[in-house]
Amino acid sequence: MAVAIANRVMTSRLAVLTSAQPGDVSGHLRDAAGTIVDRWTRTVRQHLTGNRFTDDELNSLSDRERRDLADDPLHAYGSTLLCLAVTPAGVYYLQLGDGDIVFVARDGTAWQPLGADTRMMGNETSSLCVPNARRDFRVGADP
C-alpha cells in the first residue's frame, strides 16, 4: 500500500518539483510526505473495515503486540518507506525509517545523500503508523 501510494503522490508532483525554485523543493517534498501519510492512513483504515484480524492472527501475538494493536490497529500495517523520483531536472528523495538511500557513481564511489539517521536506536524505527510520521520523513534533492 505504501509503495503504491508514494508512487502516485510523487508522480503527481513531478511537474511542481522540477519547476520549483531550489529553496522551495524541500517544502514540496515535505508536503508530498504529508500527503503520503494521510492517504496511507485512510487506505489502511478502509482496509481494516473489511478485513478484521482473525483469532489465529491475534493469538499469535505477544501481550504487548495485542495491546499495541488494541490501542491503534495501524501498527499491524506499519511500514518504512524509501522513495526516489529521477528526472532530467534532478533527483528527489524521501525516506522514513531505517534503510538507506545510496547513490553510486560510475567510478564506484558511494554516498548516502541524507547521511545516517542518528535517531534510530536498536530495533526502533520511524514508521507510517506512528502519529508523527509526517515529521519523521527525511527529504532531499540533487539537481
Side-chain angles (χ1 to χ4, degrees):
M1 288 179 202
V3 170
I5 291 166
N7 186 38
R8 287 192 300 273
V9 169
M10 289 299 284
T11 299
S12 74
R13 307 287 172 101
L14 287 178
V16 171
L17 287 168
T18 58
S19 64
Q21 296 297 314
D24 297 334
V25 171
S26 179
H28 290 298
L29 289 168
R30 293 218 163 276
D31 183 58
T35 300
I36 291 167
V37 172
D38 292 344
R39 289 185 185 175
W40 178 86
T41 301
R42 187 171 51 249
T43 300
V44 168
R45 290 198 189 286
Q46 289 171 347
H47 187 264
L48 277 166
T49 300
N51 298 279
R52 296 288 177 205
F53 300 111
T54 66
D55 289 339
D56 285 343
E57 289 170 329
L58 294 172
N59 290 334
S60 70
L61 302 175
S62 69
D63 289 341
R64 178 178 176 235
E65 290 169 329
R66 271 196 293 281
R67 281 192 306 274
D68 287 347
L69 199 56
D71 289 342
D72 188 353
L74 294 182
H75 284 278
Y77 292 75
S79 178
T80 60
L81 185 64
L82 301 156
C83 181
L84 278 124
V86 179
T87 73
V91 180
Y92 309 91
Y93 36 92
L94 304 166
Q95 180 173 339
L96 177 68
D98 54 5
D100 293 309
I101 295 174
V102 179
F103 291 170
V104 180
R106 286 193 172 125
D107 68 0
T109 305
W111 70 98
Q112 295 175 272
L114 293 171
D117 191 345
T118 58
R119 300 170 302 167
M120 301 298 114
M121 300 266 187
N123 63 355
E124 296 291 323
T125 189
S126 302
S127 173
L128 284 166
C129 69
V130 299
N132 59 345
R134 69 179 54 245
R135 289 179 302 205
D136 284 343
F137 267 93
R138 298 187 309 141
V139 302
D142 288 311

